[in-house]
């Protein structure tokens, strides 16, 4: 793999070699949020690089001094490819010395990750979450309806999704408050308002839409691929007891509205090229508008670690994006097919990713089979669902011989529920 002169960029097992170059937003003690690229254990300050004239004439139009990469995403594939080539040239060992041989410039533009605080990498225009993992749909359906009726008749034809709240998407490191909500136990006379008792994670893969569509327009799957900028790790925190009572007939609402965490760095399609794979075997032929002219799936490992307040981390999930049934461009093509206007900064969640074995199940509801079988933690203790003070960290990467592309960390810690309703203003 190509080597870089930047500290930490050639570390075995590192997430951010020069072949990655993911985009995000960061701030430092002395300066507000602006765009950057992760390289080794540094952040390359794209606003400073633009001001120094090192990113070419067009960089002034790309909005790198703003708190979101939206303007750069909207600039389109030619701009993305040009900047990737230029950054590679600036940061690779065998590239131009323009930055490398200028210590003052390096000091200003290459910031230690320890000194950088991450923010949401893009302004989230809309957030839609799908249900594109076949094994997750099978497991959830089996737990709720029994194995004979696990998959609904539409599942193998439609990428099923719902419109979530863009306002609830947060960057890694943001604490999540356990939600209050209406639940109804099977043997209870009526509903009650409680702090969620079945708080869960969902290990997902998030696609970021770069190019907008007009209302009434649609996209082929091949066009949809070109409209995507890149991908993030995503934890769609879920309140199972609230979900169970509220979701018939219109689907999730409050059970999914208290927080969805994404990783801070958007890994581009270009960086993930070596990990592209073909579609899984189909249960039935898909309608022509969902046909794929190329390989749009990925071979990426995703893991989740749970760390209780005692600090002892346990790996609870190890799964892979190849377990998805619908690809990201299929999700986008389906989203746009009725004429829905798609925007720069739309986030499309894959849905929970689960494989065939228990360790690959991407949420606690599946791992504990609806709360029946506790999950043993590595250092003692067990969980069926999350407790206050628990942290969950997602990681993800693609790995080939000597070539690794990582996503960084997607982490959140559970705070106790509010003790009363009302007078909650801060
Ligand atoms: Ca979800």
């Amino acid at each position: 793999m190509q080597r870089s002169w930047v500290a930490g960029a050639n570390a075995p097992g590192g997430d951010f070699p020069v072949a990655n170059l993911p985009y995000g937003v960061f701030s430092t003690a002395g300066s507000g949020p602006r765009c950057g690229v992760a390289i080794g254990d540094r952040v390359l300050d794209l606003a400073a690089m633009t001001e120094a004239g090192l990113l070419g004439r067009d960089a002034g139009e790309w909005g790198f001094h703003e708190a979101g990469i939206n303007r750069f995403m909207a600039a389109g594939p030619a701009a993305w490819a040009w900047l990737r080539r230029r950054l590679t040239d600036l940061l690779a060992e065998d590239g131009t010395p323009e930055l490398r041989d200028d210590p003052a410039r390096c000091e200003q533009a290459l910031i230690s990750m320890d000194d950088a605080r991450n923010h949401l990498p893009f302004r989230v225009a809309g957030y839609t979450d799908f249900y594109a993992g076949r094994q997750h749909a099978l497991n959830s359906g089996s737990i709720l309806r029994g194995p004979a009726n696990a998959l609904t008749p539409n599942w193998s034809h439609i990428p099923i999704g719902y419109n979530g709240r863009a306002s609830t998407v947060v960057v890694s490191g943001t604490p999540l408050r356990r939600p209050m909500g209406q639940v109804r136990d099977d043997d209870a006379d009526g509903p009650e308002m409680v702090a969620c008792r079945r708080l869960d994670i969902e290990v997902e893969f998030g696609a970021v839409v770069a190019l907008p569509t007009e209302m009434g327009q649609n996209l082929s799957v091949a066009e949809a691929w070109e409209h995507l900028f890149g991908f993030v790790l995503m934890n769609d925190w879920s309140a199972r007891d609230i979900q169970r009572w509220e979701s018939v007939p219109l689907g999730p609402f409050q059970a999914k509205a208290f927080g969805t965490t994404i990783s801070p760095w958007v890994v581009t399609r270009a960086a993930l090229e070596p990990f592209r794979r073909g579609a899984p075997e189909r249960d039935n032929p898909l309608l022509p508008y969902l046909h794929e002219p190329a390989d749009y799936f990925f071979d990426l490992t995703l893991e989740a670690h749970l760390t209780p307040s005692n600090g002892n981390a346990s790996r609870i999930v190890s799964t892979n994006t190849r377990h998805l049934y619908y690809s990201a461009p299929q999700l986008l093509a389906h989203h746009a097919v009725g004429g829905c206007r798609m925007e720069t900064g739309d986030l499309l969640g894959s849905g929970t990713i689960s494989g065939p074995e228990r360790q690959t199940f991407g949420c606690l509801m599946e791992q504990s089979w609806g709360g029946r079988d506790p999950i043993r933690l590595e250092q003692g203790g067990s969980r069926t669902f999350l407790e206050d003070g628990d942290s969950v960290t997602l990681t993800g990467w693609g790995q080939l011989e000597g070539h690794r592309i990582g996503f960084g960390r997607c982490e959140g810690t559970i705070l106790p529920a509010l003790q009363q309703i009302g007078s909650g203003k801060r």
Side-chain angles (χ1 to χ4, degrees):
M1 187 158 67
Q2 196 164 23
R3 294 177 64 83
S4 168
W5 51 269
V6 178
N10 309 314
D15 280 340
F16 307 122
V18 70
N20 193 345
L21 303 178
Y23 291 87
V25 170
F26 74 103
S27 62
T28 47
S31 204
R34 56 214 189 260
C35 298
V37 158
I39 172 80
D41 52 21
R42 296 287 189 273
V43 181
L44 180 69
D45 184 335
L46 294 177
M49 292 290 285
T50 301
E51 276 171 35
L54 286 168
L55 300 184
R57 283 173 307 179
D58 294 337
E61 308 295 314
W62 294 338
F64 288 142
H65 59 286
E66 297 173 4
I69 60 170
N70 299 57
R71 275 173 65 185
F72 178 60
M73 292 199 294
W80 312 338
W82 187 90
L83 188 60
R84 184 172 174 82
R85 278 196 306 275
R86 176 63 179 160
L87 292 175
T88 303
D89 193 27
L90 285 163
L91 298 170
E93 271 184 1
D94 54 0
T96 174
E98 287 169 81
L99 179 63
R100 184 185 65 211
D101 289 355
D102 187 339
R105 192 71 76 200
C106 287
E107 169 81 19
Q108 182 201 21
L110 281 168
I111 289 125
S112 167
M113 279 196 182
D114 293 339
D115 298 331
R117 181 178 157 220
N118 289 118
H119 300 260
L120 274 178
F122 53 97
R123 292 184 295 280
V124 182
Y127 162 44
T128 306
D129 197 22
F130 287 87
Y131 191 52
R134 190 176 187 283
Q135 189 68 43
H136 171 68
L138 267 177
N139 289 345
S140 307
S142 296
I143 293 165
L144 294 172
R145 291 183 296 275
N149 304 303
L151 284 187
T152 52
N154 56 3
W155 193 88
S156 60
H157 298 275
I158 302 177
I160 291 171
Y162 68 94
N163 288 302
R165 293 280 300 178
S167 65
T168 63
V169 178
V170 296
V171 74
S172 176
T174 308
L176 278 296
R177 190 170 289 287
R178 180 182 297 272
M180 298 287 293
Q182 246 198 62
V183 304
R184 182 177 175 173
D185 290 340
D186 284 340
D187 51 0
D189 293 334
E192 54 185 333
M193 172 61 61
V194 298
C196 169
R197 297 161 179 152
R198 296 191 149 214
L199 188 54
D200 203 351
I201 62 167
E202 291 193 334
V203 176
E204 302 199 20
F205 193 49
V208 185
V209 176
L211 303 181
T213 60
E214 299 291 330
M215 194 162 174
Q217 189 189 343
N218 59 33
L219 295 170
S220 69
V221 174
E223 289 168 334
W225 175 252
E226 299 297 326
H227 278 234
L228 293 171
F229 182 73
F231 298 88
V232 290
L233 306 177
M234 194 176 121
N235 184 352
D236 179 30
W237 306 89
S238 299
R240 300 298 181 199
D241 44 358
I242 298 170
Q243 184 178 5
R244 186 160 184 265
W245 172 231
E246 76 174 7
S247 64
V248 178
L250 278 185
F253 187 51
Q254 300 289 44
K256 303 282 191 174
F258 59 96
T260 296
T261 305
I262 62 172
S263 51
W265 301 105
V266 183
V267 177
T268 62
R269 280 196 284 118
L272 295 177
E273 272 295 314
F275 308 103
R276 283 174 68 173
R277 296 294 181 269
E281 193 177 329
R282 299 298 183 187
D283 293 0
N284 43 256
L286 294 172
L287 291 174
Y289 82 101
L290 290 173
H291 283 182
E292 304 156 290
D295 293 344
Y296 296 129
F297 290 80
F298 295 103
D299 178 8
L300 302 169
T301 300
L302 305 182
E303 290 191 350
H305 285 77
L306 190 155
T307 309
S309 44
N310 67 15
N312 295 324
S314 292
R315 187 175 70 175
I316 53 171
V317 179
S318 179
T319 192
N320 191 295
T321 50
R322 69 171 186 266
H323 297 311
L324 288 168
Y325 191 83
Y326 295 106
S327 67
Q330 284 181 318
L331 302 182
L332 177 54
H334 180 67
H335 209 321
V337 76
C340 178
R341 186 165 72 89
M342 304 307 297
E343 297 183 275
T344 302
D346 278 343
L347 173 66
L348 310 183
S350 62
T352 309
I353 303 172
S354 295
E357 302 92 23
R358 183 179 180 187
Q359 178 76 13
T360 66
F361 295 172
C363 69
L364 301 177
M365 180 181 69
E366 289 169 75
Q367 293 229 356
S368 71
W369 211 255
R372 189 190 68 189
D373 306 324
I375 302 146
R376 279 203 301 277
L377 302 181
E378 289 167 18
Q379 312 279 342
S382 67
R383 287 291 182 279
T384 48
F385 294 95
L386 297 176
E387 296 185 0
D388 291 347
D390 284 352
S391 292
V392 177
T393 303
L394 309 191
T395 52
W397 64 89
Q399 177 86 57
L400 295 168
E401 185 69 36
H403 187 103
R404 187 183 192 275
I405 298 291
F407 282 78
R409 291 157 58 89
C410 175
E411 184 266 337
T413 300
I414 302 302
L415 303 176
L418 293 174
Q419 291 304 305
Q420 61 178 33
I421 306 290
S423 301
K425 57 177 182 286
R426 295 193 289 183

